PDB file of all heavy atoms in Angstrom:
ATOM      1  N   LEU A   1       0.794  -1.190  -0.005  1.00  0.00           N
ATOM      2  CA  LEU A   1       0.023  -0.037  -0.009  1.00  0.00           C
ATOM      3  C   LEU A   1       0.842   1.288  -0.011  1.00  0.00           C
ATOM      4  O   LEU A   1       0.569   2.180  -0.727  1.00  0.00           O
ATOM      5  CB  LEU A   1      -0.916   0.024   1.226  1.00  0.00           C
ATOM      6  CG  LEU A   1      -2.016  -1.077   1.269  1.00  0.00           C
ATOM      7  CD1 LEU A   1      -2.787  -1.117   2.519  1.00  0.00           C
ATOM      8  CD2 LEU A   1      -2.934  -1.007  -0.021  1.00  0.00           C
ATOM      9  N   PHE A   2       1.947   1.256   0.797  1.00  0.00           N
ATOM     10  CA  PHE A   2       2.819   2.398   0.876  1.00  0.00           C
ATOM     11  C   PHE A   2       3.529   2.590  -0.504  1.00  0.00           C
ATOM     12  O   PHE A   2       3.865   3.715  -0.867  1.00  0.00           O
ATOM     13  CB  PHE A   2       3.823   2.318   2.016  1.00  0.00           C
ATOM     14  CG  PHE A   2       3.217   2.452   3.359  1.00  0.00           C
ATOM     15  CD1 PHE A   2       3.378   1.481   4.362  1.00  0.00           C
ATOM     16  CD2 PHE A   2       2.440   3.560   3.646  1.00  0.00           C
ATOM     17  CE1 PHE A   2       2.735   1.667   5.593  1.00  0.00           C
ATOM     18  CE2 PHE A   2       1.841   3.802   4.965  1.00  0.00           C
ATOM     19  CZ  PHE A   2       1.968   2.779   5.904  1.00  0.00           C
ATOM     20  N   SER A   3       3.859   1.489  -1.118  1.00  0.00           N
ATOM     21  CA  SER A   3       4.511   1.592  -2.423  1.00  0.00           C
ATOM     22  C   SER A   3       3.587   2.225  -3.441  1.00  0.00           C
ATOM     23  O   SER A   3       4.027   3.033  -4.255  1.00  0.00           O
ATOM     24  CB  SER A   3       4.988   0.162  -2.935  1.00  0.00           C
ATOM     25  OG  SER A   3       5.840  -0.422  -1.986  1.00  0.00           O
ATOM     26  N   VAL A   4       2.335   1.820  -3.427  1.00  0.00           N
ATOM     27  CA  VAL A   4       1.329   2.433  -4.293  1.00  0.00           C
ATOM     28  C   VAL A   4       1.248   3.955  -4.033  1.00  0.00           C
ATOM     29  O   VAL A   4       1.125   4.777  -5.008  1.00  0.00           O
ATOM     30  CB  VAL A   4      -0.047   1.772  -4.197  1.00  0.00           C
ATOM     31  CG1 VAL A   4      -1.055   2.552  -4.998  1.00  0.00           C
ATOM     32  CG2 VAL A   4       0.058   0.334  -4.648  1.00  0.00           C
ATOM     33  N   VAL A   5       1.259   4.353  -2.778  1.00  0.00           N
ATOM     34  CA  VAL A   5       1.262   5.777  -2.405  1.00  0.00           C
ATOM     35  C   VAL A   5       2.415   6.474  -3.012  1.00  0.00           C
ATOM     36  O   VAL A   5       2.328   7.565  -3.635  1.00  0.00           O
ATOM     37  CB  VAL A   5       1.204   5.924  -0.873  1.00  0.00           C
ATOM     38  CG1 VAL A   5       1.474   7.398  -0.521  1.00  0.00           C
ATOM     39  CG2 VAL A   5      -0.102   5.450  -0.344  1.00  0.00           C
ATOM     40  N   MET A   6       3.640   5.883  -2.926  1.00  0.00           N
ATOM     41  CA  MET A   6       4.865   6.534  -3.455  1.00  0.00           C
ATOM     42  C   MET A   6       4.785   6.623  -4.959  1.00  0.00           C
ATOM     43  O   MET A   6       5.154   7.676  -5.534  1.00  0.00           O
ATOM     44  CB  MET A   6       6.124   5.727  -3.017  1.00  0.00           C
ATOM     45  CG  MET A   6       6.567   6.018  -1.604  1.00  0.00           C
ATOM     46  SD  MET A   6       8.203   5.444  -1.235  1.00  0.00           S
ATOM     47  CE  MET A   6       7.859   3.681  -0.922  1.00  0.00           C
ATOM     48  N   LEU A   7       4.336   5.568  -5.583  1.00  0.00           N
ATOM     49  CA  LEU A   7       4.191   5.641  -7.060  1.00  0.00           C
ATOM     50  C   LEU A   7       3.185   6.713  -7.518  1.00  0.00           C
ATOM     51  O   LEU A   7       3.400   7.444  -8.475  1.00  0.00           O
ATOM     52  CB  LEU A   7       3.795   4.280  -7.603  1.00  0.00           C
ATOM     53  CG  LEU A   7       4.816   3.207  -7.722  1.00  0.00           C
ATOM     54  CD1 LEU A   7       4.251   1.869  -8.063  1.00  0.00           C
ATOM     55  CD2 LEU A   7       5.849   3.681  -8.820  1.00  0.00           C
ATOM     56  N   SER A   8       2.078   6.798  -6.761  1.00  0.00           N
ATOM     57  CA  SER A   8       1.026   7.793  -7.079  1.00  0.00           C
ATOM     58  C   SER A   8       1.592   9.203  -6.877  1.00  0.00           C
ATOM     59  O   SER A   8       1.371  10.104  -7.736  1.00  0.00           O
ATOM     60  CB  SER A   8      -0.158   7.598  -6.147  1.00  0.00           C
ATOM     61  OG  SER A   8      -0.721   6.308  -6.313  1.00  0.00           O
ATOM     62  N   LEU A   9       2.411   9.432  -5.809  1.00  0.00           N
ATOM     63  CA  LEU A   9       3.002  10.683  -5.620  1.00  0.00           C
ATOM     64  C   LEU A   9       3.999  10.988  -6.691  1.00  0.00           C
ATOM     65  O   LEU A   9       4.161  12.180  -7.207  1.00  0.00           O
ATOM     66  CB  LEU A   9       3.708  10.773  -4.234  1.00  0.00           C
ATOM     67  CG  LEU A   9       2.804  10.768  -3.001  1.00  0.00           C
ATOM     68  CD1 LEU A   9       3.570  10.587  -1.764  1.00  0.00           C
ATOM     69  CD2 LEU A   9       2.016  12.159  -2.935  1.00  0.00           C
ATOM     70  N   GLY A  10       4.744   9.987  -7.160  1.00  0.00           N
ATOM     71  CA  GLY A  10       5.678  10.240  -8.248  1.00  0.00           C
ATOM     72  C   GLY A  10       5.023  10.554  -9.558  1.00  0.00           C
ATOM     73  O   GLY A  10       5.500  11.490 -10.300  1.00  0.00           O
ATOM     74  N   ILE A  11       3.937   9.885  -9.870  1.00  0.00           N
ATOM     75  CA  ILE A  11       3.218  10.191 -11.111  1.00  0.00           C
ATOM     76  C   ILE A  11       2.550  11.621 -10.996  1.00  0.00           C
ATOM     77  O   ILE A  11       2.629  12.355 -12.024  1.00  0.00           O
ATOM     78  CB  ILE A  11       2.110   9.121 -11.353  1.00  0.00           C
ATOM     79  CG1 ILE A  11       2.770   7.774 -11.585  1.00  0.00           C
ATOM     80  CG2 ILE A  11       1.218   9.515 -12.505  1.00  0.00           C
ATOM     81  CD1 ILE A  11       1.762   6.607 -11.685  1.00  0.00           C
ATOM     82  N   TYR A  12       2.007  11.900  -9.878  1.00  0.00           N
ATOM     83  CA  TYR A  12       1.452  13.257  -9.664  1.00  0.00           C
ATOM     84  C   TYR A  12       2.548  14.281  -9.773  1.00  0.00           C
ATOM     85  O   TYR A  12       2.330  15.393 -10.360  1.00  0.00           O
ATOM     86  CB  TYR A  12       0.798  13.340  -8.294  1.00  0.00           C
ATOM     87  CG  TYR A  12       0.223  14.665  -7.914  1.00  0.00           C
ATOM     88  CD1 TYR A  12      -1.034  15.045  -8.353  1.00  0.00           C
ATOM     89  CD2 TYR A  12       1.035  15.580  -7.198  1.00  0.00           C
ATOM     90  CE1 TYR A  12      -1.551  16.303  -8.039  1.00  0.00           C
ATOM     91  CE2 TYR A  12       0.508  16.841  -6.858  1.00  0.00           C
ATOM     92  CZ  TYR A  12      -0.771  17.191  -7.332  1.00  0.00           C
ATOM     93  OH  TYR A  12      -1.279  18.454  -7.025  1.00  0.00           O
ATOM     94  N   GLY A  13       3.749  13.939  -9.243  1.00  0.00           N
ATOM     95  CA  GLY A  13       4.816  14.931  -9.303  1.00  0.00           C
ATOM     96  C   GLY A  13       5.353  15.173 -10.725  1.00  0.00           C
ATOM     97  O   GLY A  13       5.752  16.292 -11.008  1.00  0.00           O
ATOM     98  N   LEU A  14       5.259  14.186 -11.589  1.00  0.00           N
ATOM     99  CA  LEU A  14       5.644  14.428 -12.978  1.00  0.00           C
ATOM    100  C   LEU A  14       4.719  15.444 -13.688  1.00  0.00           C
ATOM    101  O   LEU A  14       5.192  16.165 -14.562  1.00  0.00           O
ATOM    102  CB  LEU A  14       5.624  13.089 -13.757  1.00  0.00           C
ATOM    103  CG  LEU A  14       6.692  12.047 -13.334  1.00  0.00           C
ATOM    104  CD1 LEU A  14       6.433  10.748 -14.130  1.00  0.00           C
ATOM    105  CD2 LEU A  14       8.082  12.547 -13.622  1.00  0.00           C
ATOM    106  N   LEU A  15       3.505  15.462 -13.210  1.00  0.00           N
ATOM    107  CA  LEU A  15       2.540  16.360 -13.828  1.00  0.00           C
ATOM    108  C   LEU A  15       2.494  17.767 -13.168  1.00  0.00           C
ATOM    109  O   LEU A  15       2.125  18.764 -13.792  1.00  0.00           O
ATOM    110  CB  LEU A  15       1.129  15.784 -13.703  1.00  0.00           C
ATOM    111  CG  LEU A  15       0.948  14.385 -14.414  1.00  0.00           C
ATOM    112  CD1 LEU A  15      -0.495  13.883 -14.175  1.00  0.00           C
ATOM    113  CD2 LEU A  15       1.212  14.460 -15.915  1.00  0.00           C
ATOM    114  N   HIS A  16       3.002  17.797 -11.871  1.00  0.00           N
ATOM    115  CA  HIS A  16       2.837  19.086 -11.140  1.00  0.00           C
ATOM    116  C   HIS A  16       4.180  19.542 -10.530  1.00  0.00           C
ATOM    117  O   HIS A  16       4.249  20.313  -9.678  1.00  0.00           O
ATOM    118  CB  HIS A  16       1.829  18.967 -10.064  1.00  0.00           C
ATOM    119  CG  HIS A  16       0.386  18.697 -10.627  1.00  0.00           C
ATOM    120  ND1 HIS A  16       0.006  17.421 -10.830  1.00  0.00           N
ATOM    121  CD2 HIS A  16      -0.575  19.516 -10.920  1.00  0.00           C
ATOM    122  CE1 HIS A  16      -1.251  17.466 -11.259  1.00  0.00           C
ATOM    123  NE2 HIS A  16      -1.608  18.769 -11.369  1.00  0.00           N
ATOM    124  N   ALA A  17       5.321  18.962 -11.014  1.00  0.00           N
ATOM    125  CA  ALA A  17       6.703  19.356 -10.549  1.00  0.00           C
ATOM    126  C   ALA A  17       6.791  19.270  -9.076  1.00  0.00           C
ATOM    127  O   ALA A  17       7.244  20.196  -8.414  1.00  0.00           O
ATOM    128  CB  ALA A  17       6.974  20.707 -11.041  1.00  0.00           C
ATOM    129  N   VAL A  18       6.446  18.122  -8.472  1.00  0.00           N
ATOM    130  CA  VAL A  18       6.612  17.904  -7.025  1.00  0.00           C
ATOM    131  C   VAL A  18       8.041  17.515  -6.667  1.00  0.00           C
ATOM    132  O   VAL A  18       8.645  16.718  -7.449  1.00  0.00           O
ATOM    133  CB  VAL A  18       5.603  16.838  -6.502  1.00  0.00           C
ATOM    134  CG1 VAL A  18       5.881  16.517  -5.097  1.00  0.00           C
ATOM    135  CG2 VAL A  18       4.174  17.263  -6.723  1.00  0.00           C
ATOM    136  N   THR A  19       8.548  17.946  -5.582  1.00  0.00           N
ATOM    137  CA  THR A  19       9.898  17.657  -5.176  1.00  0.00           C
ATOM    138  C   THR A  19      10.023  16.116  -4.905  1.00  0.00           C
ATOM    139  O   THR A  19       9.039  15.519  -4.405  1.00  0.00           O
ATOM    140  CB  THR A  19      10.277  18.413  -3.924  1.00  0.00           C
ATOM    141  OG1 THR A  19      10.142  19.816  -4.128  1.00  0.00           O
ATOM    142  CG2 THR A  19      11.715  18.105  -3.542  1.00  0.00           C
ATOM    143  N   ASN A  20      11.130  15.515  -5.278  1.00  0.00           N
ATOM    144  CA  ASN A  20      11.429  14.113  -5.057  1.00  0.00           C
ATOM    145  C   ASN A  20      10.569  13.210  -5.892  1.00  0.00           C
ATOM    146  O   ASN A  20      10.430  12.006  -5.609  1.00  0.00           O
ATOM    147  CB  ASN A  20      11.267  13.663  -3.587  1.00  0.00           C
ATOM    148  CG  ASN A  20      12.243  14.387  -2.674  1.00  0.00           C
ATOM    149  OD1 ASN A  20      13.365  14.621  -3.073  1.00  0.00           O
ATOM    150  ND2 ASN A  20      11.852  14.655  -1.413  1.00  0.00           N
ATOM    151  N   ARG A  21       9.970  13.726  -7.000  1.00  0.00           N
ATOM    152  CA  ARG A  21       9.082  12.878  -7.787  1.00  0.00           C
ATOM    153  C   ARG A  21       9.817  11.603  -8.377  1.00  0.00           C
ATOM    154  O   ARG A  21       9.256  10.573  -8.438  1.00  0.00           O
ATOM    155  CB  ARG A  21       8.443  13.725  -8.914  1.00  0.00           C
ATOM    156  CG  ARG A  21       9.473  14.509  -9.871  1.00  0.00           C
ATOM    157  CD  ARG A  21       8.776  15.404 -10.741  1.00  0.00           C
ATOM    158  NE  ARG A  21       9.727  16.198 -11.611  1.00  0.00           N
ATOM    159  CZ  ARG A  21      10.371  17.275 -11.190  1.00  0.00           C
ATOM    160  NH1 ARG A  21      10.194  17.742  -9.973  1.00  0.00           N
ATOM    161  NH2 ARG A  21      11.222  17.879 -12.024  1.00  0.00           N
ATOM    162  N   VAL A  22      11.080  11.885  -8.790  1.00  0.00           N
ATOM    163  CA  VAL A  22      11.808  10.699  -9.348  1.00  0.00           C
ATOM    164  C   VAL A  22      12.094   9.664  -8.255  1.00  0.00           C
ATOM    165  O   VAL A  22      11.970   8.448  -8.524  1.00  0.00           O
ATOM    166  CB  VAL A  22      13.127  11.201  -9.966  1.00  0.00           C
ATOM    167  CG1 VAL A  22      14.004  10.015 -10.445  1.00  0.00           C
ATOM    168  CG2 VAL A  22      12.891  12.165 -11.153  1.00  0.00           C
ATOM    169  N   LEU A  23      12.445  10.100  -7.057  1.00  0.00           N
ATOM    170  CA  LEU A  23      12.677   9.237  -5.939  1.00  0.00           C
ATOM    171  C   LEU A  23      11.473   8.459  -5.580  1.00  0.00           C
ATOM    172  O   LEU A  23      11.502   7.269  -5.225  1.00  0.00           O
ATOM    173  CB  LEU A  23      13.278   9.988  -4.732  1.00  0.00           C
ATOM    174  CG  LEU A  23      14.652  10.673  -4.987  1.00  0.00           C
ATOM    175  CD1 LEU A  23      15.013  11.442  -3.809  1.00  0.00           C
ATOM    176  CD2 LEU A  23      15.695   9.621  -5.351  1.00  0.00           C
ATOM    177  N   TYR A  24      10.288   9.148  -5.558  1.00  0.00           N
ATOM    178  CA  TYR A  24       9.085   8.441  -5.276  1.00  0.00           C
ATOM    179  C   TYR A  24       8.814   7.306  -6.336  1.00  0.00           C
ATOM    180  O   TYR A  24       8.374   6.226  -5.949  1.00  0.00           O
ATOM    181  CB  TYR A  24       7.868   9.419  -5.348  1.00  0.00           C
ATOM    182  CG  TYR A  24       7.659  10.305  -4.134  1.00  0.00           C
ATOM    183  CD1 TYR A  24       7.609  11.675  -4.198  1.00  0.00           C
ATOM    184  CD2 TYR A  24       7.456   9.702  -2.894  1.00  0.00           C
ATOM    185  CE1 TYR A  24       7.461  12.451  -3.100  1.00  0.00           C
ATOM    186  CE2 TYR A  24       7.263  10.466  -1.730  1.00  0.00           C
ATOM    187  CZ  TYR A  24       7.271  11.873  -1.839  1.00  0.00           C
ATOM    188  OH  TYR A  24       7.128  12.599  -0.739  1.00  0.00           O
ATOM    189  N   LEU A  25       9.088   7.583  -7.563  1.00  0.00           N
ATOM    190  CA  LEU A  25       8.907   6.544  -8.575  1.00  0.00           C
ATOM    191  C   LEU A  25       9.857   5.425  -8.402  1.00  0.00           C
ATOM    192  O   LEU A  25       9.470   4.218  -8.543  1.00  0.00           O
ATOM    193  CB  LEU A  25       9.057   7.190  -9.956  1.00  0.00           C
ATOM    194  CG  LEU A  25       7.982   8.124 -10.444  1.00  0.00           C
ATOM    195  CD1 LEU A  25       8.409   8.831 -11.768  1.00  0.00           C
ATOM    196  CD2 LEU A  25       6.671   7.413 -10.614  1.00  0.00           C
ATOM    197  N   VAL A  26      11.176   5.749  -8.159  1.00  0.00           N
ATOM    198  CA  VAL A  26      12.161   4.708  -8.040  1.00  0.00           C
ATOM    199  C   VAL A  26      11.870   3.800  -6.827  1.00  0.00           C
ATOM    200  O   VAL A  26      11.815   2.533  -6.938  1.00  0.00           O
ATOM    201  CB  VAL A  26      13.548   5.286  -7.870  1.00  0.00           C
ATOM    202  CG1 VAL A  26      14.641   4.260  -7.486  1.00  0.00           C
ATOM    203  CG2 VAL A  26      13.945   5.964  -9.228  1.00  0.00           C
ATOM    204  N   PHE A  27      11.711   4.392  -5.650  1.00  0.00           N
ATOM    205  CA  PHE A  27      11.527   3.613  -4.445  1.00  0.00           C
ATOM    206  C   PHE A  27      10.104   2.983  -4.344  1.00  0.00           C
ATOM    207  O   PHE A  27       9.925   1.883  -3.831  1.00  0.00           O
ATOM    208  CB  PHE A  27      11.827   4.416  -3.214  1.00  0.00           C
ATOM    209  CG  PHE A  27      13.237   4.671  -3.031  1.00  0.00           C
ATOM    210  CD1 PHE A  27      13.864   5.908  -3.454  1.00  0.00           C
ATOM    211  CD2 PHE A  27      14.103   3.713  -2.398  1.00  0.00           C
ATOM    212  CE1 PHE A  27      15.173   6.179  -3.332  1.00  0.00           C
ATOM    213  CE2 PHE A  27      15.458   3.995  -2.261  1.00  0.00           C
ATOM    214  CZ  PHE A  27      16.019   5.163  -2.684  1.00  0.00           C
ATOM    215  N   GLY A  28       9.154   3.681  -4.952  1.00  0.00           N
ATOM    216  CA  GLY A  28       7.813   3.091  -5.032  1.00  0.00           C
ATOM    217  C   GLY A  28       7.718   1.903  -5.929  1.00  0.00           C
ATOM    218  O   GLY A  28       7.151   0.848  -5.607  1.00  0.00           O
ATOM    219  N   GLY A  29       8.429   2.017  -7.082  1.00  0.00           N
ATOM    220  CA  GLY A  29       8.563   0.864  -7.991  1.00  0.00           C
ATOM    221  C   GLY A  29       9.275  -0.266  -7.320  1.00  0.00           C
ATOM    222  O   GLY A  29       8.867  -1.417  -7.507  1.00  0.00           O
ATOM    223  N   LEU A  30      10.397  -0.038  -6.630  1.00  0.00           N
ATOM    224  CA  LEU A  30      11.215  -1.061  -5.968  1.00  0.00           C
ATOM    225  C   LEU A  30      10.315  -1.787  -4.915  1.00  0.00           C
ATOM    226  O   LEU A  30      10.318  -3.003  -4.817  1.00  0.00           O
ATOM    227  CB  LEU A  30      12.425  -0.490  -5.294  1.00  0.00           C
ATOM    228  CG  LEU A  30      13.297  -1.433  -4.597  1.00  0.00           C
ATOM    229  CD1 LEU A  30      13.749  -2.541  -5.475  1.00  0.00           C
ATOM    230  CD2 LEU A  30      14.472  -0.698  -3.991  1.00  0.00           C
ATOM    231  N   GLY A  31       9.567  -0.965  -4.092  1.00  0.00           N
ATOM    232  CA  GLY A  31       8.698  -1.545  -3.075  1.00  0.00           C
ATOM    233  C   GLY A  31       7.642  -2.384  -3.652  1.00  0.00           C
ATOM    234  O   GLY A  31       7.342  -3.494  -3.189  1.00  0.00           O
TER     235      GLY A  31
END
């Protein structure tokens, strides 16, 4: 569930320039 949250934040970040968006995607994907 937390991994899905990180991936969602990463995807949202790509659209709205959120800080750490790449890290959210990397660690969310790994999780």
Side-chain angles (χ1 to χ4, degrees):
L1 295 176
F2 289 126
S3 298
V4 172
V5 170
M6 282 194 279
L7 280 172
S8 300
L9 289 170
I11 295 172
Y12 177 83
L14 291 176
L15 301 175
H16 299 86
V18 174
T19 304
N20 293 330
R21 56 189 178 276
V22 176
L23 296 178
Y24 279 125
L25 289 172
V26 170
F27 288 97
L30 178 60

